[in-house]
Amino acid sequence: MFNKGFPQDKQVTYAGMLWLLAAQLVVMAPLAFYLPVWILPVLLFSAAWRIRVMKGHLEQPRIIIKLFVAVLGIAALSISGLKLISLDMMASLLMLGFAYKTLEVIQRRDAMVVLLTGFLLIGVSFLYSQSILSALYGIFALIVLAGTMIAIQQSKSHSILATLRSASLMVLLCLPLMLVFFIFSPRFSPLWTIPLEASQGKTGISDSMTPGDIAKLSKSDELAFTVTFEGELPKQNELYWRGLVLQYFDGKTWTPFSNKLEFNDIKRQLKISRSELRKRLVKKGYGKKYEVIYEKTAQPWLFALSPVVDIRGNAFFTTDFRIIAERNILEPMMMTVVSYPETLRDVILPDATRQLALQLPPEGNNKSRKLAKELLKQSSSKQEYINTILNRYTQQDFYYTLRPPVLGERDTIDKFLFKSKKGFCAHYAGSFVFMMRAAGIPARIVTGYQGGTLNEKGKFLSIRQYDAHAWTEVWLENQGWIRIDPTASVAPDRVEKNLEAAVEKEGSFLEGKVFSMAKYKWLNSLKNKLDSTQYAWRRFVLSYDNETQKSLLKRLFGEITVHKIATVVGAFFVVIILFWSIFLGLGRKSAKEAQEHQIYRRFCALLAKHGVNREPSQTPQTFSQYASKQLPQLAGDINSFSQLYSELCYNPEKQSNSRENNSLKNIKALKILFKTIKKKL
């Protein structure tokens, strides 16, 4: 099967090929959740072809076949809808090459190319998921790859457990060095990046709102962000995590601006300095300092208690009192934030902001406009008008539901206020802002999250997608922007407790989830432990940035200098080398006595107890003849035992082409004969 170019002593064995296939499956499995899943069958096809070649059923694929399958794979990627210059395309090409390489694996060096690519793909998988489960799986994949490196170097197969044990030891020995690199390696910004596709990976709240949009988010229990407060935790009804401000209404959908803007345009129009921000604030009350870890969303929106007056992280302030990340969040991001929730904002309202906050379409929703004018005439003040609108939600037959009826394309406000009266937070916020603007009162919609679940074990808040919420801000003289949540008038439990309590009678909480720990109370303890572990991983590992590194090193070693760091790192390397030397030295035990010798020694000791002693000069065969004469009733068993022992020692391949299989069978038979002799004695 193999010609001169592939010497027998360098070829990958059949067992090595099975190890290689297992390693490839382990490495590619997590990426199948993010990349075209058909690449996995390509791997199975390549592996099946290779195994049949090794068994002599097929020929080694020729160059024309390799080119054909390569072109076929690239063509399949081109019609998969992946953007040419993107992370997904680069990773998919790497995965495809990883799978196809199996077609030509014959020599050990070919297998090493596959394995080295596998190590690279483990790193690529962390670009998609950085959870602690992904890290544990990555360690498992490293062990399997290390085990495969061992297996392909062996000319005969060994037990799977023994190989995995050796591979685990190899990975374990690398752990101290990994920790040194993690703690002391400088944190640099990437020199280049591959853009993520706009349609890929976006989760959470979008930059527009149509009635029903947020209701869709309420069907997800994915984590949005976690928060740890310094000092006392705010009350549940004070936890309004402000994210986006929606000011333009086209009759159905609310958006921040009248036209779709690119992120750079938004940044240019909204970004202000900290000093400019503070000029528009009248500080009141006490500050709340807290640490937030945002999950990746592929969006730049950050959520915090408003107004934020100080941030430590890669974000900027905006003219509408938000904070926005400098770039899309493509990995967990940690920030330290200081907010003053009681502070007044825009006591003097800029004209441009006022115009935005009064915008309405020139036509449509005539019933609502007419009602607003009538109620405004009946009110003695703007505050009384606001209270009148809120009281209508309470006194009339309005209903809070996750299953709102479809309102159509036109006159959505009229249909909600006068006909359906059933809706989610987006319906109430949208209709309230419309009624304010129709009465000449500046108002706008705010979307974000409300509330959070306290993890008693980790002492942090978990805010999930089902906590998504919409509320309003109304501008009043001498008060600036004040928060008003019309949903609280209809469903106070939504604000005082949580979404689950608000829709308990309806039974619609996470109804689309077949399995969710949030739905099963008896799993709360396990869920809290898992969340706490994940939070610790996020906080102490993934958020170990340049600032955190400087702070840690300063606490450990005082004033940081190049000389001191070099000395400490050098000392760590010396300790690691000594550890390796001692560990590997202690690991070199004397050659372990073979099983057949152990059994024969016990056999001799057993006969000695019955007066049949073996002289050092006697061979097994001579001693067998002597013992048979002394114990004639056991002559047959003793002769069989001695003959089998001699075969194991001097002729292990007599009965089989596989020495290892034959040895295992004979050792088992030797044990049975020994037990038989022991019983008869």
Side-chain angles (χ1 to χ4, degrees), residues 169 580-590:
L169 181 61
W580 284 348
S581 302
I582 294 172
F583 187 87
L584 295 174
L586 292 176
R588 292 196 195 99
K589 299 179 181 177
S590 57

Side-chain angles (χ1 to χ4, degrees), residues 196-430:
L196 188 71
E197 291 187 57
S199 60
Q200 292 288 325
K202 286 197 173 184
T203 60
I205 293 174
S206 67
D207 58 355
S208 64
M209 186 190 78
T210 301
D213 285 352
I214 295 181
K216 295 175 185 176
L217 278 180
S218 69
K219 298 176 182 178
S220 170
D221 61 353
E222 290 184 14
L223 187 65
F225 54 94
T226 52
V227 183
T228 303
F229 279 92
E230 286 189 9
E232 186 178 355
L233 186 72
K235 296 178 182 178
Q236 185 78 359
N237 60 5
E238 297 174 350
L239 296 173
Y240 281 84
W241 307 100
R242 193 171 186 270
L244 287 100
V245 176
L246 309 179
Q247 308 199 81
Y248 181 80
F249 183 53
D250 64 2
K252 181 183 178 183
T253 301
W254 294 86
T255 54
F257 306 100
S258 58
N259 57 335
K260 186 75 174 179
L261 296 180
E262 295 295 329
F263 176 70
N264 288 335
D265 296 326
I266 295 173
K267 185 175 179 179
R268 186 172 57 254
Q269 291 189 23
L270 295 182
K271 185 176 181 179
I272 61 171
S273 65
R274 183 182 284 104
S275 59
E276 291 174 328
L277 174 76
R278 291 182 175 179
K279 290 178 182 178
R280 298 173 59 180
L281 299 174
V282 178
K283 190 177 287 187
K284 287 190 175 183
Y286 297 96
K288 298 284 185 183
K289 187 176 182 180
Y290 48 97
E291 187 181 82
V292 191
I293 300 178
Y294 298 97
E295 297 296 310
K296 68 173 186 177
T297 59
Q299 299 185 118
W301 321 127
L302 300 177
F303 303 90
L305 304 180
S306 184
V308 175
V309 298
D310 195 17
I311 49 176
R312 196 190 79 178
N314 196 16
F316 59 89
F317 297 99
T318 68
T319 56
D320 51 10
F321 307 103
R322 292 186 288 153
I323 52 173
I324 299 178
E326 290 284 355
R327 58 180 62 88
N328 289 341
I329 305 172
L330 301 179
E331 60 184 3
M333 174 182 178
M334 186 172 77
M335 294 186 60
T336 301
V337 183
V338 178
S339 300
Y340 279 77
E342 298 178 26
T343 290
L344 303 184
R345 298 164 295 160
D346 273 349
V347 175
I348 300 175
L349 188 64
D351 290 339
T353 305
R354 183 186 295 274
Q355 290 178 9
L356 279 173
L358 289 173
Q359 178 272 333
L360 283 178
E363 298 178 352
N365 297 297
N366 295 326
K367 289 184 179 180
S368 300
R369 295 174 193 264
K370 181 179 179 181
L371 177 64
K373 293 177 181 178
E374 291 175 355
L375 294 178
L376 182 64
K377 289 180 181 179
Q378 299 170 13
S379 304
S380 58
S381 65
K382 292 181 179 178
Q383 186 62 60
E384 184 180 342
Y385 173 77
I386 293 171
N387 294 338
T388 300
I389 299 299
L390 292 175
N391 288 336
R392 284 180 62 85
Y393 293 127
T394 306
Q395 296 167 1
Q396 295 191 12
D397 194 22
F398 282 91
Y399 186 71
Y400 183 79
T401 176
L402 294 181
R403 305 164 183 163
V406 177
L407 298 178
E409 299 293 327
R410 295 177 55 83
D411 297 327
T412 55
I413 304 297
D414 283 355
K415 290 175 182 176
F416 171 67
L417 289 178
F418 297 99
K419 188 176 180 181
S420 74
K421 297 186 178 181
K422 294 180 180 180
F424 194 56
C425 59
H427 296 78
Y428 292 100

Side-chain angles (χ1 to χ4, degrees), residues 31 34-36 39 77 82-95 120-121 123-130 192-198 200-201 296 298 330-331:
L31 287 168
Y34 309 99
L35 303 176
I39 298 179
L77 280 180
L82 301 179
K83 192 175 179 181
L84 181 60
I85 306 299
S86 67
L87 173 63
D88 288 354
M89 179 59 80
M90 299 298 106
S92 296
L93 283 171
L94 190 60
M95 280 255 286
L120 180 60
L121 279 171
V124 170
S125 67
F126 287 114
L127 297 176
Y128 290 93
S129 175
Q130 299 86 28
W192 57 274
T193 60
I194 297 176
L196 188 71
E197 291 187 57
Q200 292 288 325
K296 68 173 186 177
L330 301 179
E331 60 184 3

Side-chain angles (χ1 to χ4, degrees), residues 19-30 40-41 43-44 98 137:
W19 268 97
L20 192 63
L21 172 60
Q24 287 178 285
L25 284 173
V26 167
V27 169
M28 293 173 69
L40 281 179
L43 169 63
L44 297 177
F98 187 60
Y137 188 88

Side-chain angles (χ1 to χ4, degrees), residues 33-84:
F33 290 100
Y34 309 99
L35 303 176
V37 73
W38 55 261
I39 298 179
L40 281 179
V42 169
L43 169 63
L44 297 177
F45 163 76
S46 303
W49 189 317
R50 169 53 41 206
I51 290 172
R52 288 184 64 81
V53 168
M54 295 190 72
K55 286 186 173 182
H57 300 312
L58 288 175
E59 293 183 355
Q60 175 71 10
R62 299 177 181 178
I63 186 66
I64 188 66
I65 296 177
K66 294 178 186 178
L67 287 174
F68 174 74
V69 296
V71 171
L72 194 64
I74 294 173
L77 280 180
S78 66
I79 61 175
S80 294
L82 301 179
K83 192 175 179 181
L84 181 60

Side-chain angles (χ1 to χ4, degrees), residues 428-460:
Y428 292 100
S431 61
F432 182 81
V433 169
F434 187 94
M435 294 298 288
M436 292 299 104
R437 292 184 175 186
I441 301 174
R444 57 194 184 188
I445 292 177
V446 179
T447 59
Y449 297 86
Q450 198 283 320
T453 304
L454 178 64
N455 186 297
E456 295 288 351
K457 183 176 178 62
K459 304 299 180 184
F460 62 89

Side-chain angles (χ1 to χ4, degrees), residues 656-681:
S656 174
N657 292 328
S658 173
R659 189 190 324 182
E660 185 170 355
N661 291 339
N662 185 61
S663 297
L664 291 174
K665 290 177 182 178
N666 285 345
I667 287 172
K668 185 176 181 181
L670 200 66
K671 289 179 179 178
I672 294 172
L673 283 170
F674 174 74
K675 290 179 181 178
T676 302
I677 295 169
K678 187 175 181 180
K679 285 180 181 179
K680 291 182 178 181
L681 285 175

